[in-house]
Protein backbone atom coordinates (compact mmCIF):
# COMPACT_ATOMS: atom_id res chain seq x y z
CA UNK A 1 0.00 0.00 0.00
CA UNK A 2 1.37 3.36 -0.95
CA UNK A 3 2.22 5.72 1.87
CA UNK A 4 -0.04 8.53 0.80
CA UNK A 5 -2.94 9.26 -1.50
CA UNK A 6 -3.48 12.50 -3.41
CA UNK A 7 -6.76 13.61 -4.94
CA UNK A 8 -7.03 15.95 -7.93
CA UNK A 9 -9.41 18.75 -6.97
CA UNK A 10 -10.33 19.34 -10.63
CA UNK A 11 -11.39 15.88 -11.83
CA UNK A 12 -11.26 13.71 -8.72
CA UNK A 13 -8.43 11.41 -9.93
CA UNK A 14 -6.69 9.68 -7.05
CA UNK A 15 -2.91 9.25 -7.25
CA UNK A 16 -1.03 6.85 -4.97
CA UNK A 17 2.55 7.68 -4.09
CA UNK A 18 4.79 9.71 -1.81
CA UNK A 19 4.00 13.03 -3.40
CA UNK A 20 1.54 14.56 -5.84
CA UNK A 21 2.24 14.02 -9.56
CA UNK A 22 3.47 17.03 -11.56
CA UNK A 23 0.53 16.86 -13.94
CA UNK A 24 -2.77 15.10 -13.51
CA UNK A 25 -2.87 12.22 -16.03
CA UNK A 26 -6.62 12.64 -16.52
CA UNK A 27 -7.27 16.36 -16.84
CA UNK A 28 -3.78 17.88 -16.97
CA UNK A 29 -4.12 20.00 -13.82
CA UNK A 30 -0.81 21.05 -12.17
CA UNK A 31 0.48 19.59 -8.91
CA UNK A 32 -0.92 22.50 -6.92
CA UNK A 33 -4.44 21.23 -7.62
CA UNK A 34 -3.73 18.01 -5.76
CA UNK A 35 -4.77 17.61 -2.16
CA UNK A 36 -3.51 14.94 0.13
CA UNK A 37 -6.18 12.59 1.44
CA UNK A 38 -5.56 12.32 5.15
CA UNK A 39 -5.87 8.82 6.46
CA UNK A 40 -6.81 8.88 10.10
CA UNK A 41 -9.43 6.94 11.91
CA UNK A 42 -12.69 6.19 10.18
CA UNK A 43 -14.74 9.39 10.27
CA UNK A 44 -17.92 7.55 9.31
CA UNK A 45 -18.06 5.11 12.22
CA UNK A 46 -20.96 5.27 14.64
CA UNK A 47 -18.80 5.81 17.72
CA UNK A 48 -16.91 8.66 16.06
CA UNK A 49 -20.12 10.30 14.88
CA UNK A 50 -21.72 10.18 18.32
CA UNK A 51 -18.63 11.43 20.13
CA UNK A 52 -18.13 14.18 17.56
CA UNK A 53 -21.73 15.35 17.87
CA UNK A 54 -21.52 15.35 21.67
CA UNK A 55 -18.30 17.35 21.69
CA UNK A 56 -19.65 19.91 19.23
CA UNK A 57 -22.84 20.36 21.25
CA UNK A 58 -20.99 20.69 24.56
CA UNK A 59 -18.50 23.21 23.14
CA UNK A 60 -21.29 25.29 21.63
CA UNK A 61 -23.34 25.12 24.84
CA UNK A 62 -20.42 26.39 26.92
CA UNK A 63 -19.64 29.09 24.38
CA UNK A 64 -23.22 30.37 24.33
CA UNK A 65 -23.53 30.20 28.11
CA UNK A 66 -20.32 32.17 28.43
CA UNK A 67 -21.40 34.84 25.92
CA UNK A 68 -24.81 35.15 27.49
CA UNK A 69 -23.33 35.40 30.99
CA UNK A 70 -20.75 37.96 29.96
CA UNK A 71 -23.24 40.21 28.18
CA UNK A 72 -26.27 39.82 30.47
CA UNK A 73 -25.67 42.83 32.70
CA UNK A 74 -24.93 45.04 29.72
CA UNK A 75 -28.13 43.91 27.98
CA UNK A 76 -30.26 44.48 31.09
CA UNK A 77 -28.84 47.98 31.36
CA UNK A 78 -29.84 48.59 27.76
CA UNK A 79 -33.37 47.38 28.38
CA UNK A 80 -33.76 49.65 31.42
CA UNK A 81 -32.25 52.60 29.58
CA UNK A 82 -34.48 51.96 26.59
CA UNK A 83 -37.59 52.00 28.79
CA UNK A 84 -36.46 55.29 30.34
CA UNK A 85 -35.93 56.73 26.86
CA UNK A 86 -39.43 55.65 25.83
CA UNK A 87 -40.97 57.35 28.87
CA UNK A 88 -38.95 60.51 28.24
CA UNK A 89 -39.95 60.45 24.61
CA UNK A 90 -43.64 60.53 25.61
CA UNK A 91 -42.80 63.70 27.54
CA UNK A 92 -41.61 65.30 24.29
CA UNK A 93 -37.94 65.13 25.31
CA UNK A 94 -35.76 64.99 22.21
CA UNK A 95 -33.91 61.73 22.89
CA UNK A 96 -31.46 62.07 20.02
CA UNK A 97 -30.02 65.35 21.26
CA UNK A 98 -30.07 64.22 24.89
CA UNK A 99 -26.51 63.38 26.00
CA UNK A 100 -27.42 61.46 29.16
CA UNK A 101 -30.95 60.03 29.09
CA UNK A 102 -30.54 58.38 32.51
CA UNK A 103 -29.78 61.71 34.20
CA UNK A 104 -32.58 63.41 32.29
CA UNK A 105 -34.95 60.68 33.49
CA UNK A 106 -33.88 61.17 37.10
CA UNK A 107 -34.54 64.89 36.70
CA UNK A 108 -37.99 64.55 35.07
CA UNK A 109 -39.58 61.57 36.75
CA UNK A 110 -40.44 62.31 40.37
CA UNK A 111 -42.42 59.22 41.25
CA UNK A 112 -42.96 55.68 40.02
CA UNK A 113 -46.27 54.82 41.65
CA UNK A 114 -48.25 51.62 41.73
CA UNK A 115 -52.04 51.97 41.60
CA UNK A 116 -54.89 49.48 41.79
CA UNK A 117 -57.87 49.55 39.47
CA UNK A 118 -59.94 51.58 41.97
CA UNK A 119 -57.50 54.45 41.74
CA UNK A 120 -55.78 54.03 45.13
CA UNK A 121 -52.03 54.49 45.33
CA UNK A 122 -50.78 51.12 46.61
CA UNK A 123 -47.11 52.01 46.62
CA UNK A 124 -45.30 55.21 45.77
CA UNK A 125 -42.16 53.43 44.58
CA UNK A 126 -41.36 50.39 42.48
CA UNK A 127 -43.60 51.18 39.53
CA UNK A 128 -40.70 51.00 37.10
CA UNK A 129 -40.12 47.28 37.64
CA UNK A 130 -43.72 46.35 36.80
CA UNK A 131 -44.21 44.71 33.43
CA UNK A 132 -47.47 45.78 31.85
CA UNK A 133 -47.57 42.66 29.66
CA UNK A 134 -47.75 40.43 32.76
CA UNK A 135 -50.27 42.63 34.55
CA UNK A 136 -52.60 42.58 31.55
CA UNK A 137 -53.00 38.81 31.86
CA UNK A 138 -54.19 39.06 35.48
CA UNK A 139 -57.78 39.75 36.52
CA UNK A 140 -58.45 43.49 36.70
CA UNK A 141 -58.79 43.58 40.51
CA UNK A 142 -55.33 42.08 41.03
CA UNK A 143 -53.45 44.24 38.56
CA UNK A 144 -50.74 46.60 39.68
CA UNK A 145 -50.87 49.66 37.48
CA UNK A 146 -47.67 51.68 37.18
CA UNK A 147 -47.98 55.45 36.91
CA UNK A 148 -45.08 57.83 36.40
CA UNK A 149 -45.43 61.22 37.99
CA UNK A 150 -43.19 63.63 36.17
CA UNK A 151 -42.26 67.26 36.10
CA UNK A 152 -41.61 68.94 32.80
CA UNK A 153 -41.04 72.71 32.43
CA UNK A 154 -42.41 73.29 35.93
CA UNK A 155 -45.73 71.49 35.32
CA UNK A 156 -46.81 68.10 36.63
CA UNK A 157 -47.42 65.40 34.01
CA UNK A 158 -48.67 61.85 34.42
CA UNK A 159 -47.33 59.12 32.18
CA UNK A 160 -49.50 56.04 31.64
CA UNK A 161 -48.01 52.91 30.05
CA UNK A 162 -50.26 51.02 27.64
CA UNK A 163 -49.83 47.70 25.89
CA UNK A 164 -51.92 45.87 23.31
CA UNK A 165 -51.89 43.74 20.21
CA UNK A 166 -51.03 44.93 16.71
CA UNK A 167 -51.36 42.87 13.57
CA UNK A 168 -48.32 40.61 13.99
CA UNK A 169 -47.25 41.06 17.58
CA UNK A 170 -47.44 43.25 20.64
CA UNK A 171 -47.55 47.05 20.46
CA UNK A 172 -47.03 49.36 23.41
CA UNK A 173 -46.69 52.97 24.26
CA UNK A 174 -46.60 55.70 26.88
CA UNK A 175 -49.18 58.48 27.07
CA UNK A 176 -48.36 61.61 29.05
CA UNK A 177 -51.25 63.70 30.36
CA UNK A 178 -51.43 67.22 31.74
CA UNK A 179 -52.42 67.70 35.36
CA UNK A 180 -56.08 68.06 34.31
CA UNK A 181 -55.89 64.28 33.58
CA UNK A 182 -57.50 64.77 30.22
CA UNK A 183 -55.28 66.71 27.84
CA UNK A 184 -52.62 64.64 26.08
CA UNK A 185 -49.18 66.19 26.43
CA UNK A 186 -47.30 63.68 24.31
CA UNK A 187 -47.30 60.05 23.21
CA UNK A 188 -44.82 57.34 22.40
CA UNK A 189 -45.63 54.16 20.47
CA UNK A 190 -43.53 51.18 19.58
CA UNK A 191 -44.07 47.68 18.26
CA UNK A 192 -42.34 44.36 17.97
CA UNK A 193 -43.03 43.17 14.44
CA UNK A 194 -45.49 45.39 12.57
CA UNK A 195 -44.99 45.69 8.82
CA UNK A 196 -42.27 48.24 7.97
CA UNK A 197 -43.75 51.12 6.02
CA UNK A 198 -47.32 50.23 7.02
CA UNK A 199 -48.24 49.32 10.60
CA UNK A 200 -44.77 50.26 11.81
CA UNK A 201 -45.56 53.90 10.90
CA UNK A 202 -47.25 54.26 14.33
CA UNK A 203 -43.79 55.08 15.68
CA UNK A 204 -43.44 58.05 13.32
CA UNK A 205 -44.09 61.69 14.25
CA UNK A 206 -46.72 61.90 11.52
CA UNK A 207 -48.89 59.51 13.52
CA UNK A 208 -47.91 60.67 17.03
CA UNK A 209 -48.05 64.47 16.64
CA UNK A 210 -51.85 64.77 16.20
CA UNK A 211 -52.39 63.20 19.64
CA UNK A 212 -50.99 66.29 21.35
CA UNK A 213 -53.68 68.49 22.83
CA UNK A 214 -56.44 65.92 22.31
CA UNK A 215 -58.64 65.02 25.29
CA UNK A 216 -59.24 61.55 26.65
CA UNK A 217 -62.44 62.61 28.39
CA UNK A 218 -65.46 64.82 27.74
CA UNK A 219 -67.50 66.42 30.52
CA UNK A 220 -65.73 64.18 33.04
CA UNK A 221 -66.60 60.98 31.14
CA UNK A 222 -63.72 58.84 29.82
CA UNK A 223 -64.00 58.62 26.03
CA UNK A 224 -60.45 57.62 25.01
CA UNK A 225 -59.14 58.90 21.67
CA UNK A 226 -60.47 57.26 18.54
CA UNK A 227 -58.03 56.22 15.83
CA UNK A 228 -60.06 56.52 12.62
CA UNK A 229 -59.38 55.83 8.97
CA UNK A 230 -57.69 58.88 7.43
CA UNK A 231 -60.34 61.32 6.24
CA UNK A 232 -63.10 59.96 8.51
CA UNK A 233 -64.44 61.83 11.52
CA UNK A 234 -65.77 60.72 14.89
CA UNK A 235 -68.57 62.36 16.86
CA UNK A 236 -68.36 61.19 20.46
CA UNK A 237 -64.66 61.62 21.21
CA UNK A 238 -61.52 63.32 20.01
CA UNK A 239 -59.99 61.46 17.09
CA UNK A 240 -56.74 61.16 15.14
CA UNK A 241 -55.99 59.72 11.72
CA UNK A 242 -54.81 56.12 11.59
CA UNK A 243 -52.10 54.81 9.28
CA UNK A 244 -53.25 54.24 5.72
CA UNK A 245 -52.44 50.65 4.82
CA UNK A 246 -52.02 49.83 8.50
CA UNK A 247 -55.67 49.45 9.45
CA UNK A 248 -55.23 46.45 11.73
CA UNK A 249 -52.39 48.11 13.62
CA UNK A 250 -54.38 51.35 13.92
CA UNK A 251 -57.31 49.41 15.36
CA UNK A 252 -54.85 47.78 17.75
CA UNK A 253 -53.72 51.22 18.94
CA UNK A 254 -57.35 52.24 19.34
CA UNK A 255 -58.16 49.21 21.49
CA UNK A 256 -54.93 49.59 23.45
CA UNK A 257 -55.75 53.20 24.37
CA UNK A 258 -59.29 52.32 25.46
CA UNK A 259 -58.19 49.41 27.60
CA UNK A 260 -54.87 50.85 28.83
CA UNK A 261 -55.92 54.34 29.83
CA UNK A 262 -59.38 53.11 30.89
CA UNK A 263 -57.83 51.23 33.81
CA UNK A 264 -56.69 54.51 35.32
CA UNK A 265 -60.07 56.24 35.21
CA UNK A 266 -60.64 55.56 38.92
CA UNK A 267 -57.47 57.44 39.76
CA UNK A 268 -58.22 60.31 37.38
CA UNK A 269 -61.69 60.83 38.84
CA UNK A 270 -60.34 60.93 42.39
CA UNK A 271 -57.55 63.35 41.53
CA UNK A 272 -59.72 65.78 39.58
CA UNK A 273 -62.37 65.93 42.30
CA UNK B 1 -1.20 29.78 -3.81
CA UNK B 2 -0.81 33.43 -2.90
CA UNK B 3 -3.31 35.26 -0.79
CA UNK B 4 -4.78 36.96 -3.83
CA UNK B 5 -4.18 34.36 -6.51
CA UNK B 6 -6.34 34.28 -9.59
CA UNK B 7 -8.58 31.64 -8.09
CA UNK B 8 -9.09 33.58 -4.84
CA UNK B 9 -10.05 36.64 -6.78
CA UNK B 10 -12.47 34.64 -8.86
CA UNK B 11 -13.99 33.11 -5.74
CA UNK B 12 -14.64 36.59 -4.39
CA UNK B 13 -15.88 38.29 -7.57
CA UNK B 14 -18.17 35.72 -9.24
CA UNK B 15 -20.89 35.79 -6.55
CA UNK B 16 -21.14 39.56 -6.96
CA UNK B 17 -22.38 39.50 -10.55
CA UNK B 18 -22.05 36.34 -12.61
CA UNK B 19 -23.27 33.92 -9.96
CA UNK B 20 -25.11 36.17 -7.55
CA UNK B 21 -26.78 34.10 -4.79
CA UNK B 22 -30.07 36.01 -5.03
CA UNK B 23 -30.52 36.59 -8.75
CA UNK B 24 -28.78 33.50 -10.16
CA UNK B 25 -29.19 30.84 -7.50
CA UNK B 26 -32.50 32.32 -6.24
CA UNK B 27 -31.46 31.78 -2.61
CA UNK B 28 -32.38 33.92 0.38
CA UNK B 29 -35.50 35.31 -1.30
CA UNK B 30 -37.69 35.29 1.84
CA UNK B 31 -35.53 37.75 3.72
CA UNK B 32 -35.06 39.80 0.57
CA UNK B 33 -38.84 40.32 0.58
CA UNK B 34 -39.14 40.96 4.28
CA UNK B 35 -36.52 43.59 5.07
CA UNK B 36 -36.41 45.68 1.89
CA UNK B 37 -39.32 48.08 2.46
CA UNK B 38 -36.78 50.52 3.93
CA UNK B 39 -33.12 51.03 3.07
CA UNK B 40 -31.70 51.02 6.60
CA UNK B 41 -32.80 47.56 7.79
CA UNK B 42 -31.76 46.21 4.38
CA UNK B 43 -28.25 47.57 4.91
CA UNK B 44 -27.93 46.19 8.43
CA UNK B 45 -29.33 42.83 7.33
CA UNK B 46 -26.86 42.70 4.42
CA UNK B 47 -23.93 43.41 6.74
CA UNK B 48 -25.07 40.87 9.35
CA UNK B 49 -25.51 38.12 6.76
CA UNK B 50 -22.09 38.92 5.24
CA UNK B 51 -20.39 38.63 8.64
CA UNK B 52 -22.16 35.39 9.49
CA UNK B 53 -21.61 33.72 6.10
CA UNK B 54 -17.90 34.62 6.20
CA UNK B 55 -17.40 33.44 9.80
CA UNK B 56 -19.34 30.21 9.45
CA UNK B 57 -17.58 29.46 6.16
CA UNK B 58 -14.21 29.78 7.93
CA UNK B 59 -15.25 27.68 10.92
CA UNK B 60 -16.72 24.89 8.78
CA UNK B 61 -13.71 24.99 6.48
CA UNK B 62 -11.40 24.51 9.47
CA UNK B 63 -13.49 21.57 10.68
CA UNK B 64 -14.16 20.09 7.23
CA UNK B 65 -11.78 17.14 7.45
CA UNK B 66 -13.10 15.99 10.80
CA UNK B 67 -16.85 16.29 10.22
CA UNK B 68 -18.56 12.88 9.90
CA UNK B 69 -20.37 13.06 6.57
CA UNK B 70 -23.61 11.58 7.91
CA UNK B 71 -24.23 14.43 10.35
CA UNK B 72 -22.54 17.23 8.40
CA UNK B 73 -25.75 19.22 7.85
CA UNK B 74 -26.49 19.11 11.57
CA UNK B 75 -22.96 20.21 12.42
CA UNK B 76 -23.26 23.08 9.92
CA UNK B 77 -26.58 24.12 11.43
CA UNK B 78 -25.18 24.05 14.96
CA UNK B 79 -22.26 26.25 13.94
CA UNK B 80 -24.51 28.73 12.11
CA UNK B 81 -27.06 28.83 14.94
CA UNK B 82 -24.34 29.41 17.51
CA UNK B 83 -22.81 32.25 15.48
CA UNK B 84 -26.17 33.91 14.86
CA UNK B 85 -27.05 33.71 18.54
CA UNK B 86 -23.72 35.27 19.48
CA UNK B 87 -24.13 38.07 16.93
CA UNK B 88 -27.66 38.73 18.16
CA UNK B 89 -26.47 38.84 21.80
CA UNK B 90 -23.63 41.19 20.92
CA UNK B 91 -26.03 43.46 19.02
CA UNK B 92 -28.34 43.53 22.05
CA UNK B 93 -25.47 44.51 24.32
CA UNK B 94 -23.68 47.05 22.15
CA UNK B 95 -26.13 48.19 19.46
CA UNK B 96 -29.50 47.90 21.16
CA UNK B 97 -31.33 50.21 18.75
CA UNK B 98 -30.26 48.21 15.71
CA UNK B 99 -31.20 44.91 17.33
CA UNK B 100 -34.66 46.26 18.19
CA UNK B 101 -35.08 47.39 14.60
CA UNK B 102 -34.11 44.04 13.10
CA UNK B 103 -36.14 42.15 15.74
CA UNK B 104 -36.83 38.61 14.53
CA UNK B 105 -34.87 38.87 11.29
CA UNK B 106 -31.53 38.36 13.03
CA UNK B 107 -32.69 34.99 14.32
CA UNK B 108 -34.03 34.14 10.90
CA UNK B 109 -30.55 34.47 9.37
CA UNK B 110 -30.10 30.85 10.56
CA UNK B 111 -32.64 29.72 8.00
CA UNK B 112 -31.19 31.81 5.17
CA UNK B 113 -30.53 29.36 2.35
CA UNK B 114 -27.39 31.20 1.25
CA UNK B 115 -25.60 30.12 4.42
CA UNK B 116 -26.34 26.41 4.13
CA UNK B 117 -25.74 26.59 0.39
CA UNK B 118 -22.27 28.07 0.75
CA UNK B 119 -21.27 25.79 3.63
CA UNK B 120 -22.32 22.66 1.79
CA UNK B 121 -21.12 23.68 -1.67
CA UNK B 122 -17.92 25.52 -0.86
CA UNK B 123 -16.62 25.48 2.71
CA UNK B 124 -16.77 21.66 2.97
CA UNK B 125 -14.19 21.34 0.19
CA UNK B 126 -11.97 24.40 0.29
CA UNK B 127 -9.33 26.06 2.45
CA UNK B 128 -10.31 28.57 5.16
CA UNK B 129 -8.91 31.55 3.25
CA UNK B 130 -10.84 30.78 0.06
CA UNK B 131 -13.93 30.07 2.18
CA UNK B 132 -13.61 33.47 3.84
CA UNK B 133 -13.45 35.18 0.44
CA UNK B 134 -16.35 33.10 -0.82
CA UNK B 135 -18.40 34.04 2.24
CA UNK B 136 -17.61 37.73 1.86
CA UNK B 137 -18.35 37.61 -1.88
CA UNK B 138 -21.70 35.94 -1.41
CA UNK B 139 -22.58 38.19 1.52
CA UNK B 140 -21.84 41.30 -0.53
CA UNK B 141 -23.70 39.88 -3.50
CA UNK B 142 -26.74 39.36 -1.29
CA UNK B 143 -26.41 42.78 0.37
CA UNK B 144 -26.09 44.46 -3.03
CA UNK B 145 -29.41 43.07 -4.29
CA UNK B 146 -31.08 43.94 -0.98
CA UNK B 147 -29.87 47.53 -1.21
CA UNK B 148 -30.96 47.92 -4.84
CA UNK B 149 -34.44 46.57 -4.06
CA UNK B 150 -34.75 48.62 -0.86
CA UNK B 151 -33.59 51.77 -2.69
CA UNK B 152 -36.35 51.41 -5.30
CA UNK B 153 -39.02 50.43 -2.77
CA UNK B 154 -38.29 53.18 -0.26
CA UNK B 155 -37.92 55.89 -2.90
CA UNK B 156 -41.13 55.07 -4.75
CA UNK B 157 -43.09 53.71 -1.78
CA UNK B 158 -42.35 56.31 0.90
CA UNK B 159 -40.58 59.08 -1.04
CA UNK B 160 -37.62 58.86 1.36
CA UNK B 161 -34.14 57.33 1.50
CA UNK B 162 -32.68 56.23 4.85
CA UNK B 163 -35.55 58.19 6.40
CA UNK B 164 -34.71 61.50 4.69
CA UNK B 165 -37.37 62.96 2.42
CA UNK B 166 -36.26 62.90 -1.20
CA UNK B 167 -39.41 63.63 -3.21
CA UNK B 168 -40.02 67.38 -2.75
CA UNK B 169 -43.27 68.63 -1.23
CA UNK B 170 -44.15 70.46 -4.45
CA UNK B 171 -44.33 67.15 -6.29
CA UNK B 172 -47.04 65.99 -3.89
CA UNK B 173 -48.86 69.27 -4.33
CA UNK B 174 -48.77 68.74 -8.09
CA UNK B 175 -50.59 65.46 -7.61
CA UNK B 176 -47.77 62.94 -7.15
CA UNK B 177 -48.62 60.02 -4.87
CA UNK B 178 -46.40 57.49 -3.13
CA UNK B 179 -46.92 54.04 -4.57
CA UNK B 180 -48.36 52.00 -1.71
CA UNK B 181 -47.89 48.77 -3.67
CA UNK B 182 -44.11 49.27 -3.39
CA UNK B 183 -44.35 48.64 0.35
CA UNK B 184 -46.01 45.27 -0.15
CA UNK B 185 -43.77 42.16 -0.27
CA UNK B 186 -44.92 41.08 -3.79
CA UNK B 187 -43.32 44.21 -5.21
CA UNK B 188 -39.92 43.05 -3.95
CA UNK B 189 -40.41 39.84 -5.90
CA UNK B 190 -41.30 41.79 -9.04
CA UNK B 191 -38.25 44.06 -8.67
CA UNK B 192 -35.95 41.06 -8.17
CA UNK B 193 -37.58 39.52 -11.24
CA UNK B 194 -36.75 42.66 -13.23
CA UNK B 195 -33.13 42.59 -12.00
CA UNK B 196 -32.81 38.95 -13.10
CA UNK B 197 -34.31 39.87 -16.46
CA UNK B 198 -31.84 42.70 -17.03
CA UNK B 199 -28.92 40.58 -15.87
CA UNK B 200 -29.82 37.67 -18.13
CA UNK B 201 -30.46 39.82 -21.19
CA UNK B 202 -27.11 41.61 -20.72
CA UNK B 203 -25.25 38.32 -20.42
CA UNK B 204 -26.35 35.80 -23.06
CA UNK B 205 -24.14 33.09 -21.54
CA UNK B 206 -26.46 32.67 -18.57
Amino acid sequence: MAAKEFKCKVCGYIHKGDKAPDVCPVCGAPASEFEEIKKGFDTNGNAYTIIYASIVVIVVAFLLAFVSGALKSKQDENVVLDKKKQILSSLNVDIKSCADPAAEYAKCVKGEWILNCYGDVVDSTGGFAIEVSKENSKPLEERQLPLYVCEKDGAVKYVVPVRGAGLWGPIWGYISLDSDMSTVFGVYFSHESETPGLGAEITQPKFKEPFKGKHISRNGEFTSIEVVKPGKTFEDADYVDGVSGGTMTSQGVNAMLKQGIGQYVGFFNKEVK
Amino acid sequence: MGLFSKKSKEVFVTPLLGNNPVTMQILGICSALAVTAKLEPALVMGISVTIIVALSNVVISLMRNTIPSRIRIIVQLVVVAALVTIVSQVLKAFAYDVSVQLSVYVGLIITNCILMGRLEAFAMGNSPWDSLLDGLGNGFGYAMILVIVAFIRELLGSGTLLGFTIIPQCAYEAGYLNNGLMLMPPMALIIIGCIIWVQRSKNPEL
Side-chain angles (χ1 to χ4, degrees):
Chain A
M1 196 177 129
K4 288 174 181 170
E5 284 188 356
F6 295 86
K7 185 183 174 189
C8 172
K9 281 197 278 183
V10 179
C11 65
Y13 167 75
I14 291 178
H15 171 87
K16 289 181 180 172
D18 286 333
K19 64 182 183 69
D22 296 333
V23 175
C24 173
V26 178
C27 64
S32 60
E33 288 297 323
F34 276 84
E35 196 175 49
E36 188 183 340
I37 301 173
K38 299 255 170 37
K39 278 193 182 161
F41 29 74
D42 177 16
T43 56
N44 284 322
N46 283 343
Y48 179 79
T49 305
I50 291 169
I51 292 170
Y52 192 90
S54 319
I55 292 175
V56 166
V57 169
I58 291 168
V59 168
V60 166
F62 270 102
L63 186 69
L64 290 183
F66 172 75
V67 169
S68 166
L71 298 176
K72 184 83 179 121
S73 61
K74 187 95 185 151
Q75 291 172 355
D76 290 346
E77 267 173 42
N78 279 332
V79 172
V80 168
L81 187 65
D82 191 57
K83 189 170 174 184
K84 287 182 175 175
K85 280 187 191 168
Q86 296 183 4
I87 294 170
L88 282 178
S89 161
S90 78
L91 288 164
N92 302 334
V93 175
D94 187 2
I95 291 297
K96 276 184 185 137
S97 63
C98 181
D100 188 357
E104 183 73 21
Y105 180 84
K107 205 176 84 184
C108 276
V109 179
K110 300 295 177 198
E112 297 164 345
W113 294 356
I114 302 177
L115 312 179
N116 61 17
C117 67
Y118 308 111
D120 306 313
V121 179
V122 181
D123 201 338
S124 58
T125 53
F128 190 80
I130 294 205
E131 285 178 40
V132 181
S133 55
K134 284 188 187 149
E135 298 302 319
N136 274 354
S137 58
K138 292 181 189 169
L140 186 62
E141 294 75 34
E142 289 172 23
R143 279 183 207 164
Q144 295 183 304
L145 307 169
L147 180 80
Y148 304 92
V149 185
C150 315
E151 203 178 296
K152 177 90 193 297
D153 307 328
V156 177
K157 312 283 177 197
Y158 297 90
V159 176
V160 175
V162 290
R163 192 176 172 96
L167 175 56
W168 304 115
I171 52 177
W172 63 92
Y174 294 90
I175 317 294
S176 67
L177 301 170
D178 283 340
S179 48
D180 66 355
M181 307 277 178
S182 174
T183 314
V184 175
F185 178 64
V187 293
Y188 172 87
F189 293 114
S190 191
H191 66 95
E192 192 171 284
S193 45
E194 298 309 298
T195 323
L198 298 171
E201 296 292 299
I202 58 167
T203 61
Q204 297 300 312
K206 193 186 167 206
F207 179 71
K208 292 190 291 187
E209 283 301 314
F211 278 93
K212 288 179 191 171
K214 297 283 192 299
H215 298 86
I216 58 161
S217 57
R218 272 190 189 173
N219 309 323
E221 284 290 309
F222 174 67
T223 56
S224 184
I225 297 173
E226 281 289 322
V227 181
V228 299
K229 282 204 168 181
K232 294 265 171 62
T233 56
F234 195 79
E235 286 292 319
D236 301 325
D238 285 5
Y239 63 90
V240 295
D241 282 350
V243 181
S244 40
T247 307
M248 295 300 287
T249 311
S250 303
Q251 286 171 359
V253 173
N254 194 20
M256 170 172 83
L257 292 176
K258 272 204 177 64
Q259 181 267 341
I261 306 178
Q263 301 176 111
Y264 290 83
V265 168
F267 176 76
F268 295 160
N269 290 342
K270 278 188 187 171
E271 283 293 304
V272 174
K273 280 166 196 164
Chain B
M1 248 196 319
L3 281 188
F4 286 102
S5 64
K6 194 161 164 261
K7 189 194 166 203
S8 302
K9 213 178 268 175
E10 210 172 89
V11 161
F12 180 72
V13 173
T14 42
L16 290 181
L17 283 173
N19 196 14
N20 188 288
V22 184
T23 61
M24 283 298 125
Q25 302 170 23
I26 320 290
L27 294 176
I29 295 291
C30 309
S31 55
L33 306 187
V35 299
T36 52
K38 289 267 154 69
L39 196 50
E40 199 183 347
L43 268 177
V44 179
M45 184 72 177
I47 296 168
S48 317
V49 168
T50 306
I51 292 172
I52 289 170
V53 182
L55 282 179
S56 55
N57 252 1
V58 171
V59 173
I60 288 294
S61 175
L62 287 171
M63 295 164 67
R64 72 185 188 279
N65 289 326
T66 67
I67 298 176
S69 63
R70 275 184 295 174
I71 57 162
R72 63 181 197 284
I73 301 279
I74 299 173
V75 172
Q76 292 164 10
L77 254 181
V78 168
V79 169
V80 172
L83 281 170
V84 169
T85 312
I86 291 172
V87 166
S88 138
Q89 296 274 336
V90 169
L91 277 181
K92 258 189 205 144
F94 298 104
Y96 189 80
D97 296 341
V98 176
S99 93
V100 167
Q101 206 175 26
L102 286 176
S103 61
V104 294
Y105 297 122
V106 175
L108 286 179
I109 295 176
I110 299 172
T111 57
N112 194 317
C113 322
I114 296 174
L115 269 99
M116 295 305 285
R118 289 334 290 168
L119 293 180
E120 181 67 8
F122 198 89
M124 285 300 283
N126 287 281
S127 68
W129 172 249
D130 282 344
S131 300
L132 174 70
L133 289 177
D134 179 75
L136 288 175
N138 277 285
F140 287 138
Y142 169 79
M144 189 173 76
I145 300 297
L146 245 61
V147 166
I148 294 174
V149 175
F151 180 88
I152 298 172
R153 287 180 72 189
E154 189 176 349
L155 184 65
L156 299 181
S158 316
T160 58
L161 283 179
L162 286 171
F164 297 105
T165 309
I166 298 291
I167 310 276
Q169 195 57 41
C170 57
Y172 290 106
E173 278 154 19
Y176 174 83
L177 280 176
N178 284 329
N179 187 344
L181 187 60
M182 277 290 170
L183 297 172
M184 305 288 188
M187 214 51 210
L189 207 55
I190 294 172
I191 296 172
I192 292 178
C194 293
I195 297 174
I196 296 174
W197 177 28
V198 171
Q199 198 179 0
R200 284 194 178 254
S201 61
K202 287 263 179 203
N203 191 347
E205 278 172 36
L206 298 170

